[in-house]
Amino acid sequence: MSAKIFGAHIPVEHRRTMADNYGADLGFASLWFLSCWHQNQHESAALWKLYSGISEGVAVRSTVQRLADSMDKNFEFTLGPVTYRDYSVDLFAPYQALTPVFTKRHSFAHERELRLLYWGAYEVSRPEEERQEWAKGRRYDKLYDLPAGLSFNCNVNRLVEEVVVSPYADDWVVETIAAMLRQVGCAAPVRKSNLLKVE
């Protein structure tokens, strides 16, 4: 099975501020592909509603170690937590290439985000001849012509500790998801979120 890592999107209004602070051309964000996770010991009612609507959501529960161990060893990934800052006040250490990837505005602090980064998308997404030209500095015009996501091999049974279905979903949804996972060889347990249960 494979996992898709999607491209990074930095709000346009913050590109100039961040570029000035980091001393970097954020056009290279086109080469950053991320898988984003929420770090928490407990479920978040806010995130269920923000990211999954009312009843459609499914969450994959894992650990940092499982995530690191499950990814394709033929590629190099960077894994780390996001730091939340006020871009108009906080000072940044210049010329640190990965700082923009692992930094967001304070208004997103509730996300408690962990990011898995693959940086080198051009190398795996373009024809060999084009990659060689880019490596020699002759194809910088193509930096922005990249796919929205990349697929990598992933050991799903190592990655997934548990699958949790939205607390607002009907019971048949849990049963359907469990059956679908078995069909593709994923042995992880599936349960409905207990967020709405009163002890």
Side-chain angles (χ1 to χ4, degrees):
M1 302 179 84
S2 65
K4 181 156 284 193
I5 298 183
F6 294 93
H9 300 284
I10 297 174
V12 173
E13 66 270 22
H14 293 293
R15 284 178 178 264
R16 176 50 50 201
T17 301
M18 294 176 73
D20 291 343
N21 285 327
Y22 297 130
D25 177 4
L26 292 184
F28 281 88
S30 299
L31 298 177
W32 299 333
F33 284 73
L34 300 167
S35 177
C36 303
W37 297 73
H38 171 64
Q39 290 188 99
N40 208 331
Q41 294 296 321
H42 307 284
E43 295 181 45
S44 166
L47 291 186
W48 274 119
K49 291 182 178 179
L50 284 171
Y51 290 95
S52 69
I54 295 299
S55 60
E56 299 85 4
V58 175
V60 173
R61 185 165 168 246
S62 189
T63 65
V64 172
Q65 192 62 55
R66 279 178 172 269
L67 178 57
D69 290 346
S70 66
M71 296 306 296
D72 191 333
K73 302 306 182 209
N74 294 312
F75 298 93
E76 184 175 336
F77 299 92
T78 302
L79 183 62
V82 168
T83 299
Y84 300 93
R85 299 185 178 187
D86 182 345
Y87 294 158
S88 65
V89 175
D90 292 344
L91 298 177
F92 301 92
Y95 306 105
Q96 294 185 4
L98 295 184
T99 301
V101 187
F102 293 99
T103 304
K104 292 180 78 171
R105 291 170 286 167
H106 272 303
S107 54
F108 292 100
H110 64 278
E111 294 177 343
R112 300 181 61 171
E113 189 174 342
L114 177 81
R115 288 182 166 181
L116 177 73
L117 165 71
Y118 176 72
W119 190 6
Y122 202 88
E123 299 172 9
V124 299
S125 64
R126 313 305 295 181
E128 177 62 28
E129 180 180 339
E130 198 168 298
R131 293 202 304 267
Q132 290 179 1
E133 290 185 8
W134 179 78
K136 296 174 183 177
R138 294 201 293 260
R139 291 302 292 269
Y140 286 103
D141 60 308
K142 293 291 184 179
L143 281 176
Y144 308 96
D145 183 23
L146 291 167
L150 295 176
S151 293
F152 295 90
N153 289 327
C154 172
N155 184 334
V156 175
N157 282 312
R158 176 60 185 150
L159 170 66
V160 183
E161 185 171 270
E162 182 181 42
V163 174
V164 184
V165 180
S166 169
Y168 307 99
D170 294 328
D171 291 340
W172 67 264
V173 176
V174 179
E175 297 168 3
T176 302
I177 291 172
M180 292 173 61
L181 289 178
R182 298 301 171 265
Q183 287 181 351
V184 297
C186 181
V190 180
R191 68 171 175 85
K192 184 173 180 177
S193 165
N194 58 14
L195 188 70
L196 302 181
K197 287 185 178 180
V198 178
E199 297 293 338

